[in-house]
């Protein structure tokens, strides 16, 4: 049975654990480099990317996380987690700079849907991933992914915007696939 690590610094760790249980895999909350190295797949949850980034520095996890990405095992970042994967995080307002892993060829624009519409649900249009057609994505102060590299595959869009992308083993969702009871994004990720 696969063990999926969920980075446990901050964010919706418990909801991801429930989604993973629904697709029949085991999960564990990880906070140390050795724990990350032992996992078969890894999820960086949504939350607040500034907080998670600072936690990664405090726990000295930048290199263990980059090593995991290089190992070729499946790595999924959702919302703030997607921001942390990007080669650069930008903010349209005066947010402080967020250090990122730089393992996804994309720029993440934080809070890109503005401050008035902080939260909405959007139905996914499949790009390369028919398996997630009509998935109801919950977007909470969500980022947008721009300047995608040639090797980034768009798996789904909402209103033309890429919301689920994949570059080799690295997956990023700008929404929260762990909210609700539809496990198809986790299932697709874990079967990759
Ligand atoms: N707006 C948050 C950030 O920039 C992300 C929000 C989320 O993960 N739901 O980190």
């Amino acid at each position: 049975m696969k063990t999926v690590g969920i980075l446990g610094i901050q964010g919706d760790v418990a909801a991801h654990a429930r989604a993973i249980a629904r697709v029949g895999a085991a999960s564990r909350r990880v906070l140390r480099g050795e724990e990350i190295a032992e996992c078969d797949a890894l999820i960086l949850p949504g939350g607040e990317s500034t907080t998670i980034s600072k936690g990664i520095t405090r726990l000295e996890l930048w290199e263990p996380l980059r090593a995991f990405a290089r190992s070729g095992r499946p790595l999924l970042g959702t919302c703030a987690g997607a921001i942390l994967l990007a080669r650069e995080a930008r903010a349209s307002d005066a947010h402080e700079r967020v250090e990122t892993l730089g393992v996804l060829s994309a720029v993440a624009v934080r809070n890109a849907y503005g401050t008035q519409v902080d939260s909405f649900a959007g139905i996914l249009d499949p790009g390369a991933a028919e398996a997630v057609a009509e998935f109801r994505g919950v977007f909470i102060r969500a980022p947008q992914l721009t300047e995608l590299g040639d090797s980034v595959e768009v798996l789904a869009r909402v209103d033309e915007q890429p919301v689920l992308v994949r570059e080799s083993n690295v997956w990023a969702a700008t929404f929260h696939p762990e909210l609700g009871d539809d496990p198809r994004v986790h299932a697709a990720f874990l079967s990759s």
Side-chain angles (χ1 to χ4, degrees), residues 61-107:
L61 294 180
W62 290 108
E63 184 44 35
L65 290 169
R66 289 188 179 115
F68 189 92
R70 282 196 303 270
S71 77
R73 284 168 284 174
L75 170 61
L76 166 67
T78 61
C79 203
I83 294 169
L84 290 165
L85 294 174
R87 70 173 168 80
E88 186 190 329
R90 279 184 205 148
S92 44
D93 49 19
H95 277 98
E96 58 191 303
R97 210 184 89 79
V98 176
E99 185 175 352
T100 62
L101 291 162
V103 297
L104 176 71
S105 311
V107 171

Side-chain angles (χ1 to χ4, degrees), residues 45-50 78-81 83 110-111 140-143 176:
E48 191 55 42
S49 54
T50 43
T78 61
C79 203
I83 294 169
R110 298 178 59 207
N111 303 317
I140 303 169
R141 299 179 65 231
H176 286 264

Side-chain angles (χ1 to χ4, degrees), residues 6-75:
I6 307 170
L7 186 66
I9 293 172
Q10 188 257 348
D12 49 359
V13 178
H16 274 291
R18 282 193 293 275
I20 291 162
R22 257 183 231 121
V23 298
S27 69
R28 73 187 275 209
R29 179 172 183 243
V30 293
L31 280 171
R32 298 189 309 133
E34 308 86 86
E35 295 167 339
I36 289 168
E38 284 166 8
C39 293
D40 300 304
L42 182 66
I43 294 178
L44 310 183
E48 191 55 42
S49 54
T50 43
T51 307
I52 300 173
S53 179
K54 283 178 190 156
I56 292 172
T57 300
R58 181 169 38 83
L59 298 169
E60 300 181 0
L61 294 180
W62 290 108
E63 184 44 35
L65 290 169
R66 289 188 179 115
F68 189 92
R70 282 196 303 270
S71 77
R73 284 168 284 174
L75 170 61

